[in-house]
Amino acid sequence: MAQLIDELFIKHFDNELLRQHNDQALFKLPAGRLAISTDGHVISPLFFPGGDIGSLAVHGTLNDVAMSGAKPLYLAAGFILEEGLPLADLEKIVISMAAAAKGAGTPIVTGDTKVVEHGKGDGVFITTTGVGVVPDSVTISGDRAEPGCAILVSGSIGDHGVAIMASRENLQFQTTIVSDSAALHGLVADLVATAPTALRCLRDPTRGGLATALNELAKQSGVGMVIDEAKIPVRAEVKAACEILGLDPLYVANEGKLVCICDAAAADDLLAAMRRHPLGQDASIIGEVIVDPHGFVQMTTAFGGRRIVDWPVGEQLPRIC
Amino acid sequence: MAQLIDELFIKHFDNELLRQHNDQALFKLPAGRLAISTDGHVISPLFFPGGDIGSLAVHGTLNDVAMSGAKPLYLAAGFILEEGLPLADLEKIVISMAAAAKGAGTPIVTGDTKVVEHGKGDGVFITTTGVGVVPDSVTISGDRAEPGCAILVSGSIGDHGVAIMASRENLQFQTTIVSDSAALHGLVADLVATAPTALRCLRDPTRGGLATALNELAKQSGVGMVIDEAKIPVRAEVKAACEILGLDPLYVANEGKLVCICDAAAADDLLAAMRRHPLGQDASIIGEVIVDPHGFVQMTTAFGGRRIVDWPVGEQLPRIC
């Protein structure tokens, strides 16, 4: 069985480093700082509209690496399998993962598999780690937002979370919405090429959604933010689904969107660069960074008032990624 | 709760990169090739004589990185927590993990935490990824064993597996044996310093034990091996425990030992270097590499005959690491 699984991985992830059968991968890196990020994926269900745990485990980690401005280069993958997982399901996941890695140009060069007893896991958990290299000219970090900076989002929010909620079998709810799960490093490369020094913060608003990502950035940078509800792209179907489910799209997870904070002077150029990329066609400038010692994120609502967009209370959607 | 956990990690793993609160860590690396390895840890029980899942998750991955001849530099950690895990247990694990990382000089610079429902996990699973750098002068790989090479092991085998078996509550079995869980990169550095070009293969015989590690290396290199049972260090208590449990120590897991294959001319120097290191005091030259198109590992037994040391059949000890 163990051998069968190993062969499955080597067959589909096929690359020279993995075929060496060592317990580690060795490679030369281009010049620059190393960026590393790791993410556990425990999404339920394993298969959902727009992807599965395999493609998500590639995109989720690549995106975290890319949010430093890095070009992601290689992936490592650790699988925890529950006894009883149908081999056909595992193969489907591995094939999807291999396709996502190939599409992103980031081979899975080393890995590990563990098996736990039935009832001690849930099908499969996948923890991926990505490495990439950031050119020395680029300095993107969550603590670099300053008053006057513009806040951009690369597209419509909430698609991933709503797609997952809809696909959970205990919800009697149908929708055409699919997860936005995608690798964002191509979009990031375009932004870096457009205005390398004007880019200050990048973050992918996954668990906790846009509201959480903005609050994190405001806290890290010690600033406030004002965003405009009317400027935030939300699909009509997502808005409708959120109303039915009692969710606020600002807090719903995304897996193929990014928030960008940049010098105001470069905002229009970066917006144009986003819109030229297939993953940024619905990009929008949604607000600006302000002075605020409390670090509040405020939103001008459709009714003209302002409200605080607070940190999420509790976990809205468990096992969303 | 999520915040509490994050604070726990940042408090104990404390380092500058982690405190930046970005979704990735960025750092400069010394010159050389990057070595990366990832390992999931699902050991049961979480606490055992000689360690716990936290220290094991550091040692296990560092050792895989070190087996390339690399100096491990940084770690990433992904936690999958089961609802209901006592926070005190998690803190104990995190403190032990932090101590192991500090002791090894390899800070945990980025991480991730996911929570799954009670009954969908088993306390905590920890997937760690390590990166290090291999000097250009060093080429250690599982496919470099050649007929005539010597085979060394750094110490007594089977300690980890027997310690875990003894601590499982369903076994009415007591022993003084503790796991050998330890970080081996200091020992590897001494070997590299002693005979950098004579070192051919290094492997830590974890799951599947010495027998599996030797079979893997024989297969990768396309060679046979002959080892001498009398030369293989096994503690008397481990031997006794294995007899009671019906186990063969050759197949029992280790977490602080390595197998070294080297040019015969350098074997005595490397043996002496191992014995000077606290983790290699019981090191021994156990056999040699031979020509064998079948890739068999043979053992001269205590009775003077020879038997094949085969690949393990099935998994002897589930969730041993």
Side-chain angles (χ1 to χ4, degrees):
Chain A
M1 181 66 184
Q3 206 178 339
L4 202 74
I5 289 168
D6 284 348
E7 281 166 12
L8 190 73
F9 291 137
I10 289 183
K11 176 178 159 196
H12 293 296
F13 294 159
D14 189 49
N15 60 72
E16 200 191 329
L17 288 165
L18 201 61
R19 274 195 304 270
Q20 288 177 359
H21 283 89
N22 285 326
D23 286 338
Q24 73 292 120
L26 269 191
F27 42 79
K28 280 271 179 203
L29 283 177
R33 288 155 295 162
L34 187 84
I36 182 169
S37 189
T38 200
D39 244 333
H41 299 273
V42 299
I43 194 162
S44 174
L46 298 174
F47 302 93
F48 51 83
D52 56 56
I53 192 170
S55 53
L56 185 71
V58 169
H59 297 152
T61 292
L62 284 186
N63 290 347
D64 279 345
V65 172
M67 293 306 130
S68 65
K71 177 178 162 62
L73 295 168
Y74 297 98
L75 286 171
F79 292 80
I80 297 175
L81 307 177
E82 183 195 15
E83 274 178 356
L85 173 72
L87 196 63
D89 283 359
L90 180 62
E91 183 159 27
K92 208 169 142 189
I93 289 164
V94 169
I95 289 172
S96 154
M97 202 170 168
K102 195 172 178 190
T106 52
I108 297 164
V109 292
T110 190
D112 176 65
T113 312
K114 292 293 185 317
V115 178
V116 297
E117 309 91 305
H118 185 68
K120 302 290 186 183
D122 196 16
V124 54
F125 301 142
I126 308 176
T127 301
T128 44
T129 305
V131 291
V133 167
V134 189
D136 284 333
S137 56
V138 175
T139 308
I140 296 168
S141 176
D143 59 3
R144 294 196 65 232
E146 282 180 23
C149 283
I151 306 169
L152 287 74
V153 66
S154 64
S156 65
I157 62 165
D159 299 22
H160 176 74
V162 168
I164 302 308
M165 294 296 278
S167 67
R168 287 193 180 154
E169 52 191 344
N170 56 342
L171 281 180
Q172 300 301 316
F173 180 75
Q174 298 253 332
T175 168
T176 55
I177 300 159
V178 299
S179 167
D180 59 347
S181 178
L184 291 167
H185 59 300
L187 178 59
V188 170
D190 287 358
L191 299 180
V192 168
T194 301
T197 57
L199 278 174
R200 290 168 168 267
C201 318
L202 292 175
R203 186 143 306 175
D204 52 337
T206 55
R207 251 190 308 181
L210 181 64
T212 304
L214 293 178
N215 272 284
E216 286 173 0
L217 294 170
K219 186 181 174 191
Q220 273 182 265
S221 292
V223 295
M225 297 180 183
V226 181
I227 57 173
D228 182 347
E229 188 170 21
K231 302 273 178 65
I232 300 170
V234 187
R235 286 180 205 280
E237 311 94 286
V238 170
K239 206 174 281 182
C242 283
E243 276 171 19
I244 293 167
L245 294 163
L247 297 172
D248 181 341
L250 286 174
Y251 294 89
V252 176
N254 310 277
E255 290 290 346
K257 299 292 161 17
L258 61 82
V259 174
C260 166
I261 297 181
C262 65
D263 293 345
D268 287 336
D269 284 351
L270 287 168
L271 180 67
M274 282 189 190
R275 288 185 172 169
R276 279 193 300 269
H277 192 281
L279 295 174
Q281 288 173 358
D282 299 323
S284 172
I285 298 174
I286 62 166
E288 65 171 332
V289 178
I290 59 166
V291 175
D292 181 355
H294 302 294
F296 286 141
V297 176
Q298 301 179 60
M299 184 167 75
T300 308
T301 66
F303 305 107
R306 271 198 185 179
R307 70 171 174 95
I308 301 283
V309 177
D310 214 341
W311 290 87
V313 180
E315 190 168 17
Q316 273 203 322
L317 303 173
R319 300 187 61 187
I320 206 74
C321 61
Chain B
M1 181 67 182
Q3 206 177 339
L4 201 72
I5 289 168
D6 284 347
E7 280 166 12
L8 191 70
F9 292 137
I10 288 183
K11 177 178 159 196
H12 293 294
F13 295 159
D14 188 49
N15 60 71
E16 201 191 329
L17 287 165
L18 201 60
R19 274 196 304 271
Q20 288 177 358
H21 283 89
N22 284 326
D23 286 338
Q24 73 294 116
L26 268 192
F27 41 80
K28 278 271 178 204
L29 282 178
R33 287 156 296 163
L34 188 84
I36 180 168
S37 190
T38 199
D39 243 333
H41 298 273
V42 300
I43 194 163
S44 173
L46 297 175
F47 302 94
F48 51 83
D52 55 56
I53 193 169
S55 53
L56 184 71
V58 169
H59 297 152
T61 293
L62 284 187
N63 290 347
D64 278 346
V65 173
M67 292 307 129
S68 66
K71 177 178 163 60
L73 295 168
Y74 297 97
L75 287 170
F79 293 80
I80 297 174
L81 308 176
E82 184 196 13
E83 274 178 357
L85 173 72
L87 197 60
D89 283 358
L90 180 62
E91 184 159 27
K92 211 169 140 189
I93 289 164
V94 169
I95 288 172
S96 155
M97 201 169 169
K102 198 176 176 186
T106 51
I108 298 164
V109 293
T110 190
D112 176 65
T113 312
K114 293 292 185 321
V115 178
V116 296
E117 309 90 308
H118 184 67
K120 302 291 188 183
D122 194 16
V124 54
F125 301 142
I126 308 177
T127 301
T128 44
T129 306
V131 291
V133 167
V134 189
D136 285 332
S137 57
V138 175
T139 308
I140 296 168
S141 176
D143 58 3
R144 293 196 65 231
E146 282 181 23
C149 283
I151 305 169
L152 287 76
V153 65
S154 65
S156 65
I157 61 166
D159 300 21
H160 176 75
V162 168
I164 301 310
M165 294 296 279
S167 67
R168 287 192 180 156
E169 52 191 344
N170 55 341
L171 281 181
Q172 301 301 315
F173 179 73
Q174 298 252 331
T175 169
T176 55
I177 300 159
V178 299
S179 167
D180 59 346
S181 176
L184 291 168
H185 59 301
L187 178 59
V188 169
D190 287 358
L191 299 180
V192 168
T194 302
T197 57
L199 278 174
R200 289 168 169 267
C201 318
L202 292 176
R203 185 142 309 172
D204 52 337
T206 54
R207 250 191 309 180
L210 181 65
T212 304
L214 293 178
N215 272 286
E216 285 173 1
L217 294 170
K219 187 181 174 192
Q220 273 182 265
S221 291
V223 295
M225 296 181 185
V226 180
I227 57 173
D228 182 348
E229 187 170 21
K231 302 273 178 65
I232 301 171
V234 187
R235 286 181 206 281
E237 311 94 285
V238 169
K239 207 173 280 181
C242 281
E243 276 172 19
I244 293 167
L245 294 163
L247 297 172
D248 182 340
L250 287 174
Y251 294 89
V252 177
N254 311 276
E255 289 290 346
K257 299 293 161 15
L258 62 81
V259 174
C260 166
I261 297 181
C262 65
D263 293 344
D268 288 336
D269 285 351
L270 288 168
L271 180 67
M274 280 188 190
R275 289 185 172 170
R276 279 193 300 270
H277 192 282
L279 295 175
Q281 288 173 357
D282 299 323
S284 173
I285 298 174
I286 62 166
E288 65 171 333
V289 178
I290 60 167
V291 175
D292 182 354
H294 300 295
F296 286 141
V297 177
Q298 302 179 59
M299 184 167 74
T300 308
T301 65
F303 306 106
R306 271 198 185 178
R307 70 169 174 94
I308 301 284
V309 177
D310 214 342
W311 290 88
V313 179
E315 191 169 17
Q316 273 203 320
L317 304 173
R319 299 187 62 187
I320 206 74
C321 61

